Structure formats: structure tokens, C-alpha cells
Amino acid sequence: MRDDTFRTAIDLLNQARPDGAPDDVVGWPRYAVLSPHVAVLAALCPDDTGGEAFASVLGGIGFYEWTQGRYRQALDYESRALAITEAALGPDHPTTAIRLGNLAVSLRALGRAGEAEPMYRRALAITEAALGPDHPDTALRLDNLAVSLRALGRAGEAEPLHRRALAITEAALGPDHPDTALRLNNLAVSLGDLGRAGEAEPMYRRALAITEAALGPDHPTTALRLDNLAVSLRDLGRAGEAEPSNRRALAITEAALGPDHPDTALRLDNLAVSLRALGRAGEAEPLNRRALAITEAALGPDHPDTAIRLNNLAVSLGDLGRAGEAEPLHRRALAITEAALGPDHPTTATRLDNLAVSLRALGRADEAEPLHRRALAITETALGPDHPTTATRLDNLAVSLRDLGRADEAEPLHRRALAITETALGPDHPTTATRLNNLATSLRALGRADEAEPLHRRALAIRAKSM
């Protein structure tokens, strides 16, 4: 009798679910009403009652919880849904692959991309065997695996998977489908991580145009596209163009998802970074602080995204001349990142380098030097000798060496950093101006002011042009 009651409740909840996927905002009000009822059912109903129908209820509400930024709740539902589906349908069923993929997405959102990777690989293998290599679901599995690899600092491995996913999706669904936009966006993000922002920009623009036409100007996914385009523009030295996109993305996200959603925190933080790039760190600081508070409350104190927020706040404080306040934030960000992503991840290198910059600003260049060297070694190994981020590591090490009275050692590092940056970003990029200026300062320290002056002038001209 009790089992019959559970099965009736399961059937009613499945019938009451909105049409469409749980990430469709139109269905969110109904999911919000159903959520407490599913929670009661999940607390009472045994896993061996209801079979795949029960897994469908749990999986659907888990996906909804994920869209709301409640990743821990999503993980609990999706773990149970996977276990029930696998028992009911078998380990090689396409629905088992769906459950694996959704569970992996929540793990990645919780900063556990290492655990997500084998699930994505298994989901891909099941889907490809069951549906074939050219099915849209195979493309989804490829793309999700690629995103996880990128989160693990392996964007080079991610790129060919993204390209294959895009080709399958575009052939199957057409060039103007929202899923094609998603594939374009994810490929562009990986290209950006590989230092190829110039290639990424047109993909972001196309993804934004498709998404806005398909979903409308006020959809959270449109906000995501706007924000990613803004990041690419900022990477290309065009922070002035990025700012309005950042602001529009924030407004859409806050209206759609609320002021305390992790995506709102991301939009705040990205706007703050653009403002800082425009020399407006004073405006950036309160946005950084609000982003940190939201992220820490939603994801916890040890999540990699919390480390990003700490790092970005610390950099803004450093730009405001408050390196003493920045140092403990940088140290905490480094500890979280190293624990979550490992000692050889490119993001760990970023944390090391930023901590070193703060130490140098505090007159402790001797402590900064070994951190710079470790950051450079990690970055060069992970991203290659010609990546723009490698140039940043070289330049920062060179500045610390100059502060230690070793400008002769700094000069060749500055020159290599300048060559990489000019090749990767162009002769008129603001970062090229930074490289020119730092080389010139080291030349002055070596008593070669006549060589330094034209470099300073060129740097000044680039900055004036980019204002």
C-alpha cells in the first residue's frame, strides 16, 4: 500500500513537470512549486521504489537546483538518480549517460572537475556506442568533457573536442540553433585560455547573435554570451568596449537569477576586472567584495571560485596601493587553488605570481623571486613558451630582479616578454605598452637612458591611443 502511494506521487510529480528542459526559464516557477514536494518524496521514498520514473523526478529537480546555483542539492539528487537509473536500465543505456553527464556538471560546478572527467568520458562512450558518432547528444558529451578538461588547465586537449562537437551540432541542428551557439561559446573560451583571444572574438559575437535571436535579449544565457564577449574584448586590450557588455550582462543576470546567485557574483567580478583595467580600481573594489560574499555563501570558503574572488579583490586592493591588505587574500586564494587544482595548474601559477607582486610592492622582492620563478615554470610547462601569460610571468620576474638590483638579469626577460606579447597581442595592445615601459625602466637602471626614452614614448603613445 505504501509503495503504491509513492508510485502515485511519483506519477503526479512527473505529470506536473513543465514541458522542456529544466534550464528553460519559462518552467522555473512551476519547478519552484514542485521542489519542496520532491524534497519530501526524496526523504521518504526508497530508491528501489518507482524505478526510472523516480529517477526522472530526482534528475529533473536536480537539474533545476543546478540552474538556481544550489549545486550541493543538485549533486544529492543527481547521485541518487544515477544509481536508480543504472539499476533499472543498465550501465550502457543512453539515459544512464544523461545521468552521468548531469552529475558531472554539478561536480564541476562544485570545483571537482577531476572527479567529473571520468564520468564525462564514460557518458561519451555510452552515448557514442548507442547513438553514433554524429548524434547531437554525442556532441553534448564531447563538449562537456572538453569544458572539464579546460577547468583542469588542459585547454589544448579540449580544443579538438570542442571543434568536433561544433561540427556535429552545426550539421545536425543548423547554424542558428542555440546548441550551435553553446558550442561556439565553449570553443571560444578554450581559445581564450590558449592565448588566442583574436580567434575567440568572432565566435563569441556569432554565439551572442544566435542566442539573442533564439532566446531573447533578457535571457540568462544571453547574459552569459555578453559577459564572455566582454572578457575577450578586455583580453584584447579593449576594456572600454567591454564595460557596457559587462553591465548589461549583470543587469540581465540579476533580474533573472536574483542578487545572490553564483552567476550574479561572476558578472559582478567580471565588471570589476574591466573597471580595474580602465584604471578605476576604486569602483571595482565594492563589486569585488560583493562578488566574494555571494560566492562564499553559495559555494563555500574552499571552492576554486571563492579563490578567484579573493584574488581579484586582492589585485584591486594592490592597484589602490593597499598591498598589505592584499597579501593575506592572495595567500588564502593560493592555498584554496593549490588544494583544489593541484600544484602544477596554470591557475596556481597565477595565484603564486599575484602573491609575489604584492610582496614586491611591500618591499619584499627577495621573497617574491622564488614565487615568480615557480609561477613561470608552471606556466611555461602548461601553456607553452609563446603564450601571453608566459610573457606576464617573465615580466613580473624581471621587475622583481630589477628591484633587487639585478637589472642586468632582468633585461633579457623583459625583451623576451615584449617579443611574446607583441606577437600574440599586437604592437598597439595596452599590455605591449606595459612590456615596453618595464624594459625601459630596467634600461634606465642600467644607465642606458638614451635607449629607454623611445620605449617610454612608444608606450605612452599606445596608452593614449587606447584611452
Side-chain angles (χ1 to χ4, degrees):
M1 186 71 176
R2 190 181 183 201
D3 285 356
D4 289 342
T5 301
F6 285 139
R7 290 190 187 99
T8 300
I10 289 165
D11 289 343
L12 289 170
L13 285 167
N14 269 322
Q15 291 167 23
R17 283 166 57 188
D19 295 331
D23 59 349
D24 185 345
V25 296
V26 174
W28 287 356
R30 186 178 293 185
Y31 270 112
V33 172
L34 294 177
S35 182
H37 298 285
V38 175
V40 172
L41 178 67
L44 297 174
C45 183
D47 286 1
D48 59 359
T49 300
E52 177 55 25
F54 186 29
S56 181
V57 170
L58 295 172
I61 208 69
F63 197 167
Y64 167 72
E65 293 293 337
W66 176 83
T67 68
Q68 304 306 300
R70 297 191 285 267
Y71 305 131
R72 293 183 188 86
Q73 293 94 318
L75 185 70
D76 290 342
Y77 284 127
E78 286 157 356
S79 296
R80 285 184 71 185
L82 171 61
I84 295 167
T85 296
E86 197 156 11
L89 302 180
D92 299 321
H93 194 280
T95 305
T96 299
I98 293 172
R99 303 281 181 250
L100 282 162
N102 288 347
L103 177 58
V105 167
S106 288
L107 285 169
R108 192 180 71 228
L110 288 166
R112 295 158 62 182
E115 295 174 58
E117 182 189 348
M119 294 187 179
Y120 282 129
R121 290 194 183 277
R122 187 179 156 211
L124 172 60
I126 295 168
T127 302
E128 197 157 11
L131 304 179
D134 300 320
H135 193 281
D137 286 1
T138 299
L140 174 62
R141 305 288 174 256
L142 286 161
D143 209 39
N144 283 344
L145 172 58
V147 171
S148 193
L149 291 173
R150 187 179 69 231
L152 291 166
R154 294 151 61 188
E157 295 176 55
E159 183 187 350
L161 303 182
H162 284 307
R163 290 194 183 277
R164 187 181 156 208
L166 173 60
I168 296 168
T169 302
E170 198 155 12
L173 303 179
D176 299 321
H177 193 280
D179 285 0
T180 299
L182 176 60
R183 306 291 174 258
L184 286 162
N185 177 86
N186 288 345
L187 172 57
V189 175
S190 285
L191 291 173
D193 284 1
L194 291 167
R196 293 152 61 187
E199 295 176 56
E201 183 191 349
M203 294 184 182
Y204 281 130
R205 290 194 182 279
R206 187 180 156 208
L208 171 60
I210 295 168
T211 302
E212 196 155 12
L215 303 180
D218 299 321
H219 194 280
T221 305
T222 300
L224 174 62
R225 303 287 179 258
L226 284 162
D227 209 38
N228 285 346
L229 172 60
V231 170
S232 188
L233 291 171
R234 190 177 68 231
D235 287 348
L236 289 166
R238 293 150 59 189
E241 295 176 57
E243 183 189 348
S245 293
N246 286 134
R247 290 193 182 279
R248 187 179 157 210
L250 171 60
I252 295 168
T253 301
E254 196 156 12
L257 303 180
D260 300 320
H261 193 283
D263 285 1
T264 300
L266 176 60
R267 306 288 174 260
L268 285 161
D269 213 37
N270 282 343
L271 172 58
V273 173
S274 289
L275 291 172
R276 192 177 69 232
L278 291 166
R280 294 152 61 188
E283 295 175 57
E285 183 191 349
L287 303 181
N288 288 134
R289 290 192 182 279
R290 186 179 157 210
L292 172 60
I294 296 168
T295 302
E296 198 156 11
L299 303 180
D302 299 320
H303 192 282
D305 285 3
T306 299
I308 293 172
R309 306 293 173 256
L310 286 162
N311 176 83
N312 287 346
L313 171 58
V315 173
S316 289
L317 291 172
D319 284 1
L320 291 168
R322 294 153 62 187
E325 295 175 59
E327 182 190 349
L329 302 181
H330 280 308
R331 290 194 182 278
R332 188 179 156 209
L334 171 59
I336 295 168
T337 301
E338 196 156 11
L341 303 180
D344 299 320
H345 193 283
T347 305
T348 300
T350 299
R351 304 289 176 260
L352 286 161
D353 211 38
N354 287 345
L355 171 59
V357 169
S358 278
L359 291 172
R360 187 178 70 227
L362 291 166
R364 293 151 61 188
D366 55 330
E367 295 176 53
E369 182 189 349
L371 302 181
H372 284 309
R373 291 194 182 278
R374 186 180 157 208
L376 172 59
I378 296 168
T379 301
E380 198 156 11
T381 299
L383 303 180
D386 300 320
H387 193 283
T389 305
T390 299
T392 299
R393 305 289 176 256
L394 287 161
D395 209 40
N396 285 343
L397 171 59
V399 172
S400 285
L401 291 172
R402 186 180 69 226
D403 285 1
L404 290 166
R406 294 151 61 188
D408 55 328
E409 295 177 53
E411 182 188 351
L413 302 181
H414 283 307
R415 291 194 183 278
R416 186 180 157 208
L418 172 60
I420 295 168
T421 301
E422 200 156 9
T423 299
L425 303 180
D428 298 321
H429 193 283
T431 304
T432 300
T434 299
R435 304 286 178 257
L436 287 161
N437 205 55
N438 285 344
L439 171 58
T441 302
S442 285
L443 291 172
R444 283 187 181 278
L446 290 166
R448 293 152 61 187
D450 55 330
E451 295 176 55
E453 183 183 350
L455 301 179
H456 279 308
R457 289 188 183 281
R458 187 180 156 209
L460 188 61
I462 294 169
R463 286 191 174 130
K465 186 177 177 181
S466 66
M467 292 291 284

